[in-house]
Amino acid sequence: MTAFAYRSGVLHAEDVDLAALAESVGTPFYCYSSAALERHYRDFAAALPTDSLIAFSVKANGNLAVLKTLGALGAGADVVSGGELKKALAAGIPAARIVFSGVGKTRAEMQIGLDAGIHQFNVESEPELEALNAVALASGKRAPVTLRVNPDVDAKTHAKITTGTAESKFGIPWDRSRAAYALAARLGGIEIVGVDVHIGSQITTLAPFEAAFSRVADLVRRLREDGHAIGRLDLGGGLGVAYRTDNTPPPDAAAYGAVVARVTKDLDVRLIFEPGRLIAANAGVLVSRVIYVKQGDTKKFLILDAGMNDLLRPALYDAHHEIVCVAEPADTAPRTRYDVVGPICETADLFARDRDLPDPKAGDLVAFLGAGAYGAVMSSAYNARPPAPEVLVKGGQWSLVRPRMTDDALIASDRIPPWL
Ligand code: LLP
């Protein structure tokens, strides 16, 4: 059962009519389904060893209500900034279930993590190791650390979201990993607890995972021979989701879990995962209203009230999101080819090129599917457009979990200097 389905001719989120919701909250807006978040989390957890830590990647969807929903199921959080760390704590996720990733943690951010007593820091370079050591020693603490190693595996995903190849800024270069562990072992403020890897995002085949995890499993054995206590293995996030209804879906959690089990079976480590997209993407939609249908010289445009400031993925990665009408079209409804665009003064403000849609009219509602991950979190106020608000649905209940910012609030966030 999908959480977003037509009922009585109208697209619903669980039991909530999205057309009625649009009347209440205005458009555009993001809408998340609690049931879908829960189902995606549980399906993933069921495919993995029961003592695994599943740390939801907050960068995918940082809304406190979403984090609280997942935290209540036992999820931890994968954070990449002091801000995300504070959000995870504010949502009630215990520090002991938080892992701190990211290539550029500042000392101030490290301090927040140390003070909170987080589960581990995933360290990505030797200078970061030295900095964390200094911060920990100054606080009279030892920081629990895994080193993120770069296995030099091509994740075969979009170039802008691949992270595990040699030319990427992420992780410690493979050939230096044992030396970096030796350095960590000499630092009194560092406690080595495990190994970390993450090779990219929206990965839709299992081979890159298998290649990377196998390399890392070998490294765990080597590091133990070198005398390090490796008790944890953080395998990152990255399992892709279906964005197109006409493509073969990517491997499911069970298939991924089988690869993990095969590669890690003799390792005796506690596994950590950092899924983001897999949990949140298909648990959310972006609902928008058609402002105009415009006939161009050679093309027909559907101009929406959502723009690239609300959903950046198509502009940034040429990402595909299915666009459906909120009012259910008849199976026989004729379809017309549109470029679906936003109102922003940028050619890149283009959601979909040459999309066949059942003739929406000005005032009609459309929904972007797969918008629950890397949607609202990547929004901005470009063109002085307050980003879309967020709604969480549970059964027949809904709640505005981030209200729409007003134009006045946006203007009030700027300051005019007294000397101007
Ligand atoms: N862990 C680390 C260290 C990461 O860098 C990421 C994503 C994740 C976990 C979560 O990956 P996921 O399970 O969601 O694939 N804005 C892009 C995606 C960037 C992902 C960056 N890192 C998009 O909209 O496709």
Side-chain angles (χ1 to χ4, degrees), residues 7 21 43 50 52 84 109 111 117-118 133 191 194 201 221 223 234 251 262 266 281 290 298 361 366 394 402 411:
R7 285 204 213 164
L21 190 53
D43 286 353
T50 43
S52 304
E84 283 192 355
E109 289 176 317
Q111 190 72 59
I118 63 168
N133 180 53
E191 182 197 358
S201 196
R221 295 185 191 98
L223 292 172
D234 184 334
R262 191 163 61 242
D266 302 322
V290 177
T298 57
K361 295 177 295 301
V366 296
K394 188 176 177 72
R402 175 178 289 182
I411 292 166

Side-chain angles (χ1 to χ4, degrees), residues 57 59-60 78 101 148 161 163 198 200-202 236-239 243 274-278 313 317 373-374 378:
S57 201
K59 67 169 81 66
D78 161 49
S101 303
R148 174 173 173 181
I161 52 175
T163 60
H198 171 83
S201 196
Q202 184 56 11
L239 185 55
Y243 280 110
E274 304 170 355
R277 192 188 311 267
L278 185 73
R313 304 191 68 255
Y317 317 113
Y374 307 110
M378 292 176 73

Side-chain angles (χ1 to χ4, degrees), residues 4 30-33 37 56-63 66 243 276-277 279-286 311 313 321 368-377 390:
F4 300 95
Y30 278 97
C31 179
Y32 311 128
S33 154
L37 289 167
F56 175 65
S57 201
V58 173
K59 67 169 81 66
N61 189 320
N63 190 285
V66 168
Y243 280 110
R277 192 188 311 267
I279 309 288
N282 284 317
V285 296
L286 170 66
L311 180 64
R313 304 191 68 255
H321 286 267
F368 289 83
L369 307 185
Y374 307 110
V377 279
E390 297 169 79

Side-chain angles (χ1 to χ4, degrees), residues 31-42:
C31 179
Y32 311 128
S33 154
S34 304
L37 289 167
E38 289 171 6
R39 192 176 60 246
H40 299 160
Y41 177 85
R42 287 189 208 280

Side-chain angles (χ1 to χ4, degrees), residues 282-321:
N282 284 317
V285 296
L286 170 66
V287 178
S288 176
R289 207 176 277 285
V290 177
I291 311 177
Y292 298 116
V293 180
K294 172 173 172 175
Q295 181 63 59
D297 205 9
T298 57
K299 294 205 138 184
K300 221 169 170 182
F301 296 97
L302 209 59
I303 304 177
L304 304 184
D305 67 359
M308 64 189 281
N309 71 304
D310 297 303
L311 180 64
L312 185 60
R313 304 191 68 255
L316 197 55
Y317 317 113
D318 294 318
H320 179 101
H321 286 267

Side-chain angles (χ1 to χ4, degrees), residues 326-344:
V326 170
E328 185 174 16
D331 284 344
T332 53
R335 293 184 170 246
T336 307
R337 190 152 287 187
Y338 293 97
D339 274 10
V340 184
V341 301
I344 289 184

